[in-house]
Amino acid sequence: MADWGRRDALAALGVAGAGLALPGWTQARPLPLVRNFPQKGAMLLQRSRAPLLETPFELFDQGVITPNDRFFVRWHYDDIPLSVDTNAFRLKVDGAVSGRLAFSIADLLKLPRVELTAINQCSGNSRAYFSPRVPGAQWGHGAMGNARWTGVRLKDVLDRAGVKPEAKVVRFAGLDRPPGEAPWFAKSLSVDHARDGEVMIAFAMNGTALPVLNGFPIRLVVPGWYSTYWIKALDHIEVLDAPDDNFWMAKAYQIPATPRASVAPGTKEFPKLPINKMLPRSFITSRGSGPIKAGAPLHLRGIAMGGASGVAAVDLSVDGGAWQKTVLGKDHGKYSFRGWEMTVTQLAPGPHRIAVRATNTSGDTQLPDPIWNPGGYMLNTIETITVQAA
């Protein structure tokens, strides 16, 4: 696990080279394509400091696993860990535990290893498509990625420390530092969730060490939940005997306590709860809207996610007609993207609207109804393209 020099990394983060978005897909708004962030290839630039880098959407047509060098990046504060001494690094565990512990990287590597393929998706993925528009990073569909994560069970780490019976939640924080009096970025899970055996501390991503901008040297992986909980550069675990009232749990990332987290546009007052499980989504990745040859077969493919459950089915509809089942690709696990494909035949001359929807194994299905909330979170409306046959 090589360290990154802070001066070189800061220079790369200062300003990235300009470029044009790759052809073939229309971004919600034009973004420069940049190539000079540490360990990253061509990425869409939302912001340089703290870095927000979006995966170009056409990359998702190349497979269900997102390469590390094209995996989206989202940090809250400027002061992020760009150089980590892995020999001196310690993961501290304290609070309502039988004994405080400090794990070195070597200590963690001695624990039983687990591997899981899971989607990491920003809460505000696709925010740019909200109508009416809402403030915040105007992500297109590229604030998501899918990787094979290797690490250790959070449960095993907590069990080493001995969680006390009165414990209620487990709070996590990383090496990034807030400016001035700003609140430390920290998120928490219930004790039962933290110890479910699926939440993990990952040290590898797609078979290699985590990229510096994706959480090196270790990060939390909370499968099926939005990435706000996937703390990067994790260095502190605190077990609490009371609910977590820190800003990032009690004030930020709050969603309406309504189906699909949706309220009428402009609504400001509503019952709230912390954002949590992801919703099912599906996309056509092989092409966007545009011209096609009338009467010729149109082969379509894409990806789908079940959210907190596996993908049960992906259906396609043409011009509002009956939903037809697509052929699903390999199942990499319930938290992974799953590919799908289908051939549409004999489209007559003229415009045609093609819609795709996913249904998960819990029975949750994408709906055409628009979603709106003031945070711009959890968009999962049915996606469509329009093709012009001629």
Side-chain angles (χ1 to χ4, degrees):
M1 295 185 178
D3 295 344
W4 278 89
R6 187 174 182 85
R7 179 179 299 175
D8 292 341
L10 281 171
L13 291 175
V15 61
L20 297 176
L22 297 178
W25 280 95
T26 301
Q27 187 71 11
R29 66 182 179 88
L31 294 172
L33 191 70
V34 299
R35 297 179 175 85
N36 60 342
F37 278 72
Q39 301 171 292
K40 291 295 174 184
M43 301 290 289
L44 296 169
L45 178 66
Q46 289 277 353
R47 186 178 71 195
S48 292
R49 299 280 300 272
L52 301 185
L53 306 178
E54 182 172 341
T55 301
F57 187 74
E58 56 268 27
L59 185 82
F60 296 116
D61 193 49
Q62 298 177 15
V64 296
I65 301 298
T66 311
N68 291 5
D69 68 340
R70 310 298 295 282
F71 209 97
F72 87 99
V73 173
R74 197 272 190 263
W75 291 85
H76 291 82
Y77 295 136
D78 287 355
D79 190 4
I80 62 176
L82 297 173
S83 181
V84 179
D85 182 345
T86 52
N87 291 320
F89 175 85
R90 295 294 183 270
L91 170 62
K92 301 179 292 295
V93 184
D94 55 28
V97 294
S98 299
R100 296 182 177 186
L101 296 177
F103 289 84
S104 66
I105 296 295
D107 293 332
L108 291 172
L109 293 175
K110 293 176 184 176
L111 295 176
R113 297 190 187 186
V114 292
E115 185 170 281
L116 179 73
T117 302
I119 297 160
N120 180 221
Q121 179 182 207
C122 182
S123 308
N125 190 30
S126 310
R127 181 182 286 123
Y129 298 102
F130 267 68
S131 181
R133 298 287 286 272
V134 296
Q138 297 299 300
W139 296 107
H141 293 320
M144 62 179 183
N146 187 41
R148 294 185 298 271
W149 308 95
T150 304
V152 300
R153 296 180 187 89
L154 175 61
K155 179 182 185 298
D156 292 343
V157 170
L158 292 173
D159 286 353
R160 290 288 184 96
V163 175
K164 291 185 176 179
E166 63 269 25
K168 298 292 191 300
V169 300
V170 184
R171 183 161 63 194
F172 310 91
L175 292 170
D176 45 325
R177 298 292 183 259
E181 299 300 316
W184 205 281
F185 185 74
K187 301 293 289 189
S188 61
L189 302 172
S190 71
V191 168
D192 288 344
H193 187 180
R195 299 185 68 252
D196 68 0
E198 289 190 326
V199 179
M200 64 187 290
I201 298 170
F203 49 75
M205 179 178 175
N206 293 329
T208 63
L210 299 170
V212 62
L213 294 180
N214 292 110
F216 179 84
I218 57 174
R219 76 174 302 167
L220 200 66
V221 170
V222 187
W225 282 43
Y226 287 96
S227 69
T228 180
Y229 293 93
W230 295 44
I231 297 295
K232 296 179 289 295
L234 176 70
D235 78 329
H236 188 199
I237 299 174
E238 183 181 9
V239 181
L240 307 179
D241 59 8
D244 188 358
D245 61 357
N246 93 82
F247 172 82
W248 295 101
M249 288 300 299
K251 300 292 184 182
Y253 289 100
Q254 296 284 301
I255 59 172
T258 60
R260 301 166 74 216
S262 189
V263 294
T267 303
K268 296 180 180 180
E269 298 298 328
F270 45 80
K272 302 173 184 177
L273 75 163
I275 198 169
N276 47 82
K277 296 178 181 178
M278 296 194 298
L279 301 177
R281 302 194 72 180
S282 56
F283 303 90
I284 297 170
T285 60
S286 55
R287 62 160 299 125
S289 297
I292 63 169
K293 185 177 180 181
L298 176 62
H299 185 72
L300 298 171
R301 61 181 176 267
I303 56 172
M305 67 175 84
S309 303
V311 174
V314 177
D315 304 313
L316 210 68
S317 174
V318 180
D319 296 330
W323 290 99
Q324 305 174 62
K325 291 193 178 300
T326 68
V327 177
L328 296 180
K330 181 179 178 181
D331 187 353
H332 293 270
K334 66 180 181 178
Y335 299 118
S336 171
F337 283 144
R338 191 163 184 183
W340 62 266
E341 60 182 338
M342 181 177 177
T343 299
V344 178
T345 59
Q346 298 180 337
L347 289 178
H352 299 278
R353 185 171 176 267
I354 302 175
V356 61
R357 73 177 185 189
T359 301
N360 67 20
T361 54
S362 297
D364 301 316
T365 303
Q366 287 182 268
L367 300 174
D369 315 60
I371 288 176
W372 193 91
N373 56 66
Y377 297 140
M378 299 178 62
L379 187 70
N380 85 322
T381 303
I382 288 174
E383 298 290 335
T384 65
I385 62 171
T386 299
V387 296
Q388 183 74 34

